[in-house]
Amino acid sequence: MTMLPEVATTPEVLESEFSLLTAVTRLDFLSRRDNVAVEQTDDGADDDDDWMRIKDVTTTLDVDEALELLALGEVVARKAHEHRQLGIRAALRGGADWTAIGRAMGASPRAAWERHVGWLEQQATARRAGDVTALDDEELAAARQAAGRRP
């Protein structure tokens, strides 16, 4: 295993290095590795198709991999949250109402609207704090107009 520097196990570092797809793929790989192991090396024999032999066999990740798994979970959650907001804005631009958006999110229309408006407020706060990646005043105004009134 390649040893990653300690700082590489933070979500902030991994978030800048991994796309959502790459982070999910790596998260899935580490999760599967931690939960499934083959008891013995594969000798290529096809005489046994019984997967039950690995039922009681486990493996664990080393500390660096476990921390990477944890940090990647946070990265995926953050990126998924960003994509949710992109999805909401795209749905609104396409003409979807809050009933449809709420259904797609597994939430009530009101809860979906409140989450979105809360995110818009976070964007405004971040912009005032100097975050140039947050929505600017013009983008916020357009997003608020698209969000409309609380359902």
Side-chain angles (χ1 to χ4, degrees):
M1 183 194 106
T2 303
M3 295 298 290
L4 296 173
E6 186 174 327
V7 72
T9 58
T10 67
E12 292 74 21
V13 170
L14 295 178
E15 191 170 22
S16 67
E17 293 180 7
F18 290 112
S19 67
L20 177 59
L21 179 60
T22 305
V24 168
T25 301
R26 179 73 176 154
L27 178 74
D28 182 60
F29 170 76
L30 290 171
S31 297
R32 288 174 186 266
R33 240 190 81 227
D34 191 46
N35 291 316
V36 178
V38 177
E39 187 174 333
Q40 47 198 322
T41 59
D42 183 9
D43 62 3
D46 287 337
D47 59 349
D48 186 10
D49 287 337
D50 183 14
W51 284 91
M52 292 303 291
R53 65 186 174 88
I54 67 169
K55 178 181 166 196
D56 296 323
V57 179
T58 60
T59 187
T60 56
L61 302 172
D62 65 29
V63 173
D64 291 334
E65 291 170 323
L67 291 171
E68 181 184 4
L69 177 66
L70 182 61
L72 282 167
E74 182 61 27
V75 168
V76 168
R78 290 177 186 182
K79 287 185 179 283
H81 180 72
E82 291 170 14
H83 282 76
R84 177 184 351 167
Q85 299 310 318
L86 292 172
I88 289 172
R89 292 171 63 203
L92 289 169
R93 280 191 310 273
D97 63 14
W98 283 105
T99 300
I101 292 169
R103 188 178 315 114
M105 292 174 60
S108 71
R110 184 177 204 156
W113 182 88
E114 287 174 352
R115 286 181 198 165
H116 182 60
V117 170
W119 178 79
L120 292 174
E121 290 308 314
Q122 290 172 350
Q123 290 292 298
T125 300
R127 184 61 111 159
R128 284 191 300 272
D131 182 353
V132 296
T133 64
L135 298 179
D136 64 26
D137 289 340
E138 188 176 308
E139 293 168 320
L140 279 168
R144 285 186 178 117
Q145 183 176 358
R149 300 181 71 131
R150 178 179 12 211

